Amino acid sequence: MTVLYICVRYIGILNSMVNMLDLLNSTTDVVGFILHIMWAWIPVIVNAMLGVIMMIRIHAMYQLSKKMLIFLIVVLLACTITSGIIMVMALIGVSAEEYILDGQRMCLSDPDQDKIYLFYESMISTAIWEILASVLALWIVIKHFRELRNSATGSIIGDCYTVLTKSHAFYFGAFTFVACFNLGSLSPYVIYSSTLGSFVHGVVYHIALMLQMFVLGPRLILSLREYHAKLVARSDGGTGMTSIHFQAGGDESAGGEV
């Protein structure tokens, strides 16, 4: 989890640099082509990493069920591979050309117009994974809250489920917002338009995408760490749990970090 957190954070920094260089528009055709490839692949890679984080959380919530883990791995792999294949198809035929306008060097990418929709359609399989993950998380949360209502450990485990639910709800809400704007980009009135409304749509979409991937995404890990730190601070002996594995109506057990 720590490795995933660091990777997502540093990819976020790299993505900011790519966007800054893209705004400057003063790169050569080769550099511009590389930046375009990076711009296209960063969301696919980061969403795959966030999918792994979500898979680990759900696996813990389902009492480390092996069947659930296998199911989650198969679905996540299928969705990620699908997104990757669509992105590869979208990048076939993409070129970058260098222009000089008013004495200023500019590099503009020229994607295949017949495949430009694929850049946005690559998120559809990711949306399927996120919806499935949210449904599974919501179902197990409701199930456990009912079972732990009269349990002696219900207070601690219930609090942890609350933390999981809040962080997941904020993240899924942001992803839903991004997915809606992504689908809106498929409209010919947006994708081929140069109006102010189309520009605002693009700006809002990219800002929301950055927040979803590089702010709320890492919060999926930080929220659990903050909750764990509070448990350690409140414990009498000063020894806390490195993770919480949820047992319906049972005790908590320690294990690897969630």
Side-chain angles (χ1 to χ4, degrees):
M1 294 288 278
T2 301
V3 174
L4 290 172
Y5 173 81
I6 294 174
C7 289
V8 171
R9 284 298 194 187
Y10 277 99
I11 292 177
I13 297 174
L14 177 63
N15 185 77
S16 300
M17 296 174 60
V18 170
N19 289 333
M20 290 177 61
L21 291 173
D22 185 59
L23 289 174
L24 292 175
N25 258 333
S26 57
T27 57
T28 63
D29 53 348
V30 176
V31 175
F33 177 76
I34 294 174
L35 292 178
H36 183 77
I37 297 296
M38 295 175 64
W39 170 83
W41 276 104
I42 282 177
V44 177
I45 295 172
V46 172
N47 281 322
M49 291 181 176
L50 296 177
V52 173
I53 295 173
M54 193 67 67
M55 180 184 67
I56 296 173
R57 286 162 56 104
I58 295 176
H59 180 223
M61 295 170 72
Y62 276 82
Q63 306 173 33
L64 305 182
S65 169
K66 291 184 179 180
K67 291 182 179 180
M68 178 56 66
L69 178 60
I70 294 173
F71 173 74
L72 292 173
I73 291 175
V74 170
V75 175
L76 179 59
L77 279 176
C79 293
T80 303
I81 292 174
T82 301
S83 294
I85 292 175
I86 294 176
M87 187 57 66
V88 169
M89 294 172 59
L91 290 173
I92 294 177
V94 172
S95 61
E97 297 183 9
E98 187 177 347
Y99 300 91
I100 298 179
L101 300 176
D102 297 331
Q104 183 179 3
R105 178 183 295 175
M106 301 182 65
C107 179
L108 302 176
S109 59
D110 184 24
D112 190 337
Q113 295 300 314
D114 295 332
K115 300 178 181 178
I116 195 169
Y117 290 100
L118 294 176
F119 286 101
Y120 301 100
E121 291 175 354
S122 63
M123 186 175 279
I124 294 178
S125 59
T126 304
I128 294 174
W129 159 258
E130 292 293 344
I131 293 173
L132 175 63
S134 297
V135 170
L136 291 174
L138 180 62
W139 184 86
I140 197 65
V141 165
I142 294 174
K143 178 176 179 291
H144 274 279
F145 268 118
R146 288 178 177 176
E147 294 177 351
L148 297 173
R149 184 174 300 172
N150 299 320
S151 172
T153 59
S155 177
I156 296 177
I157 298 180
D159 289 344
C160 192
Y161 269 109
T162 302
V163 172
L164 288 169
T165 303
K166 286 182 179 179
S167 58
H168 194 130
F170 281 119
Y171 173 78
F172 183 71
F175 182 86
T176 302
F177 185 83
V178 170
C180 290
F181 267 76
N182 181 77
L183 292 176
S185 300
L186 294 174
S187 171
Y189 297 102
V190 175
I191 199 170
Y192 296 118
S193 176
S194 58
T195 61
L196 178 61
S198 176
F199 174 77
V200 172
H201 180 279
V203 171
V204 173
Y205 167 71
H206 283 94
I207 292 176
L209 183 64
M210 297 305 102
L211 290 175
Q212 174 251 322
M213 291 193 300
F214 305 119
V215 177
L216 295 177
R219 286 295 303 173
L220 295 173
I221 298 177
L222 292 179
S223 60
L224 288 180
R225 289 185 172 179
E226 292 172 357
Y227 178 75
H228 172 255
K230 291 179 181 179
L231 285 181
V232 173
R234 290 187 305 190
S235 61
D236 295 333
T239 58
M241 298 166 290
T242 57
S243 72
I244 295 178
H245 295 163
F246 305 103
Q247 303 290 338
D251 296 331
E252 301 167 21
S253 60
E257 182 178 330
V258 176

